[in-house]
Amino acid sequence: MASSDETPGPMPPGDGSVPPGKSVSIGQHVIDKGAQLLQTLKPIKHMNQHVCTFAMYSHDMTRQIETHHYLSRVNQDFLQCAVYDSDDSNGRLIGVEYIISDRIFETLPAEEQKLWHTHEYEIIAGLWVNPRVPEMVQKPELKNLARTYGKFWCTWQVDRGDRLPLGVPALMMSPQGVNLGMVAPELVKKRDESYGISSKDLEEKRVDIAGPETTMNPYANYWMQTGKGFAIDVELTDMKKTAPFP
């Protein structure tokens, strides 16, 4: 099976729709609506924030994407996010990100810390926004989030044309203010125009936001220290047997 650094091979047959498949029938709509009335869907109802920002592939940081995170807060130190490629009704679920406070991050072993990225730069630079929420309303939350770390796995590489979530997950990194970590200006411009905002203006309003209270951990944003990224390879292995087969 291909690694996250390789294309998954030929696309499945179909008419070019994303993903391939028949349109949802009226009967299925009725079933879905009925289930929606009868079921609680509690985890989804705890998603209480929409964040638009950018991410890049750890193994190829020239590949940069706009992301839409739907956050739910587990506690003050831990958030979990469903990540989509857009905020419209046809948005595709492309991955998941976990966000932890600097206090929790510092308890992790070094090998685990290498998989995480900081949020300080993307918030201070005005790249991280809560669409349609006034800056003065989101500012207190941004001050907290600037001190957090994230681990983001992309499961559907739509930017390379995948019409289904193919291959293995890819680890994603956050924007930074240096070399490969810089987001392409045209990507930011397109996002800003879609929401009628200016990242530059937001950056000026966020000069008082600070990052983690402790010195920036050398293992976070690991590529900045080593020039190395991470790609997953899948290999065949013997199954662990809890009981002998007949």
Side-chain angles (χ1 to χ4, degrees):
M1 184 180 290
S3 77
S4 55
D5 194 31
E6 298 174 341
T7 56
M11 290 293 110
D15 60 1
S17 59
V18 182
K22 297 179 180 178
S23 299
V24 179
S25 67
I26 294 176
Q28 188 62 58
H29 276 301
V30 172
I31 292 173
D32 291 344
K33 287 295 183 182
Q36 189 176 22
L37 291 172
L38 295 171
Q39 297 178 321
T40 61
L41 306 179
K42 289 180 180 179
I44 296 173
K45 290 180 180 178
H46 276 82
M47 291 181 181
N48 50 30
Q49 286 193 48
H50 167 213
V51 169
C52 179
T53 184
F54 303 92
M56 47 204 67
Y57 290 83
S58 174
H59 63 273
D60 182 1
M61 297 186 73
T62 64
R63 291 175 57 193
Q64 304 177 348
I65 58 173
E66 179 182 313
T67 61
H68 294 264
H69 294 58
Y70 291 85
L71 284 63
S72 59
R73 189 180 302 280
V74 178
N75 56 48
Q76 197 61 35
D77 291 276
F78 184 87
L79 294 91
Q80 53 192 13
C81 316
V83 185
Y84 289 77
D85 67 331
S86 75
D87 64 350
D88 63 34
S89 59
N90 295 317
R92 292 167 286 184
L93 179 64
I94 62 170
V96 59
E97 179 168 2
Y98 301 102
I99 297 176
I100 57 176
S101 66
D102 53 350
R103 184 177 68 84
I104 299 298
F105 178 80
E106 292 299 335
T107 68
L108 301 178
E111 287 303 304
E112 174 64 26
Q113 289 177 339
K114 294 176 182 178
L115 303 177
W116 296 71
H117 58 260
T118 60
H119 292 129
E120 178 184 15
Y121 174 77
E122 60 184 303
I123 289 175
I124 293 175
L127 301 174
W128 175 299
V129 300
N130 290 68
R132 305 177 187 89
V133 177
E135 181 70 6
M136 63 179 294
V137 174
Q138 63 180 317
K139 190 76 171 286
E141 176 75 339
L142 294 176
K143 289 182 177 180
N144 292 328
L145 288 168
R147 297 176 177 177
T148 62
Y149 295 81
K151 182 164 68 171
F152 175 8
W153 292 106
C154 177
T155 55
W156 189 350
Q157 300 186 40
V158 296
D159 63 299
R160 71 180 178 188
D162 291 10
R163 293 194 290 123
L164 287 172
L166 304 175
V168 298
L171 185 67
M172 308 298 282
M173 292 290 108
S174 65
Q176 300 297 326
V178 295
N179 50 59
L180 293 176
M182 300 290 289
V183 181
E186 59 272 18
L187 202 59
V188 179
K189 182 175 183 290
K190 180 182 177 183
R191 191 282 304 273
D192 285 4
E193 289 177 348
S194 69
Y195 288 121
I197 61 175
S198 168
S199 296
K200 285 295 183 184
D201 289 347
L202 293 176
E203 183 176 10
E204 293 175 3
K205 295 176 181 178
R206 297 177 180 180
V207 292
D208 59 330
I209 294 180
E213 293 181 358
T214 56
T215 303
M216 190 65 70
N217 189 292
Y219 292 112
N221 308 322
Y222 193 62
W223 66 270
M224 294 178 66
Q225 322 301 330
T226 63
K228 300 287 186 180
F230 295 94
I232 295 177
D233 283 296
V234 176
E235 59 183 31
L236 195 65
T237 186
D238 291 331
M239 296 172 60
K240 293 184 179 180
K241 303 177 180 66
T242 57
F245 285 103

